[in-house]
Amino acid sequence: MIGTTLVISVAVVAVLGIFLMQQIASGLLNSERSAAVAQANDGLIFTQSDPNLQGPKGSSTSALISLVTQLQSGSGLGNTYDVVLLHRAAGSGLYAVTGNLANQYLAASIPEALKKQVAQKQVLGRSGHFATMPTTLLGSDGRPVGPALAVGVPISGDDQLYYLFPLAQQTQVLSLVQNTLIVAGAGLVVLLAVIVSLVTRWVVVPIRQAAQAASRVSAGNLDERMAARGTDDLAGLANSFNEMAASLQDKLRELQELSSVQRQFVSDVSHELRTPLTTIRIAADVLFGSSDALDPAARRSAELLQSQLERFEALLSDLLEISRHDANVATLDAESADVCDLVLRAAADAEQLAAQRGTRIEFRLPPDQCIAEVDRRRVERVLRNLLDNAVEHGEGRDVVVTVAADRDAVAVAVRDHGVGIGPGEHQFVFDRFWRADPARARTTGGTGLGLAIALEDARLHAGWLQAWGERGRGSVFRLTLPRTVGTQLVGSPLPLCPDEEIATADGVDSVAYPDGDGAEPGSRDA
Ligand code: ADP
């Protein structure tokens, strides 16, 4: 704003200054012209009353010199003007007659255009008509001395009278005015800049404070308020901001209370269900144990009861686990472990299901150990869940487990070639109880909390759990964990999308999931 104001005000002041200078200059020139014409008119009257000039044989040179001398003497000691008389002698051209022989050079200061105008008037016989023209006064050496105003008038058929008025005084006045205007203009521009900067600060500072307060509120500091003074628009802004922050705080508090009540409810219900479930479990075990003595229908019911009880227990333990995450009481028992080892252990659990589905689990493990500080139980659970899901949704096709590590992180990617994940579903797979196909028959897990818990477990490690998938092309679930607890992840040693290849942090290899049969060094089959 200050810059723009400066530019505009400099332009306005410049235009105004130039206009004023032109007005003053033309005013000065006009008044000088009137004074000059009046003076020349006096000279003309004097000339016309001179009997020597009106003689029948024309004017004698001595008469002309005496006339010019008399006219020149009127200019006084200050020499406020110079008089030049141009006379046409018989048989020759015009020559200058001046009162002082030393002033012969003055004739050169009369502009040719003025001489032409006067000559025309002379031809037309208008002896009393004046012509004026600005000119440059020349010194005896022919160099310009300063600006002047030339006034010419024909006084007879052969004579032309010229007055040269130097404009030195007017030039001085003009340069004084010009300097004053420049100083005043510069002062005005500076003053304007100061005023604008003060006004801008007056408006901008509260807006800046509002922006800072808003960013603090968005960063979670809901107690942030703005100081509202007076009744102007800025105070209105501050009041509205404060009201907004207060209502936001209230809403958030309400939501937090509601959510904590819900979480507490889930946790309480899960705990309460444990006791009756244990009793039911014991009773079901007794029933199942004596199932041989039951008739076939009752035996089938006992088996169903047994399997559904297992799912119920799994659901209850998942609910309790997620409640612990919600209540922020989940702890990380980190210890150094070889992630490849954890992968193989998790895969051993998934083997049974894989065998049922005819799925082959292929491992692509690095030759070296991938040591990281992890909670073995949690990471194993995450991997088990990913492998179970891959086999479950893999439609009997190969599942490829790739492990890679760089200096800072270890990553495990579980790739299947099954149904895949539909467009826009990547964000939902980690939601609680979300299923792509709710009607899909389930033979394992099936609590709908597996990936939600896995995500919480990954977050507890400050790691990432991400999904890629395309309908019909299968999916990839990638778990990335920092090598040491508390380090921030900046990248993953494995690509998420199988089409993409990334350079590892060591800058040596690039890793891609095999979509064909080609085996790489270090790959192991289970
Ligand atoms: P659950 O497997 O118990 O239903 P999860 O949280 O493990 O719950 O998975 C949630 C949903 O994500 C699944 O119901 C399924 O629709 C989808 N999903 C998970 N893994 C895969 C996968 N490998 N391929 C396709 N869809 C998957």
Side-chain angles (χ1 to χ4, degrees), residues 385 389-390 393 416 420 429 434-436 442 446-448 450-451 475 477:
N385 187 271
N389 278 345
H393 302 283
D416 68 66
V429 286
W434 184 86
R435 284 179 183 123
R442 313 217 29 118
T447 63
L451 285 178
S475 54
F477 282 80

Side-chain angles (χ1 to χ4, degrees), residues 208-222 224 241 244:
R208 197 175 290 157
Q209 281 170 355
Q212 282 166 355
S215 69
R216 278 197 286 271
V217 167
S218 71
N221 186 2
L222 292 176
E224 184 68 32
F241 178 87
M244 183 197 72

Side-chain angles (χ1 to χ4, degrees), residues 311 318 385-386 388-394 414 416 418-422 425 428-438 440 442 444-453 468 471 474-477:
R311 289 198 62 194
D318 278 358
N385 187 271
L386 297 185
D388 280 350
N389 278 345
V391 172
E392 174 87 359
H393 302 283
V414 180
D416 68 66
V419 285
I421 300 172
E425 287 181 0
F428 301 128
V429 286
F430 299 105
D431 286 357
R432 294 169 190 189
F433 300 112
W434 184 86
R435 284 179 183 123
D437 179 7
R440 192 179 156 89
R442 313 217 29 118
T444 180
T447 63
L449 287 171
L451 285 178
I453 294 175
W468 170 90
R471 277 269 172 260
S475 54
V476 175
F477 282 80

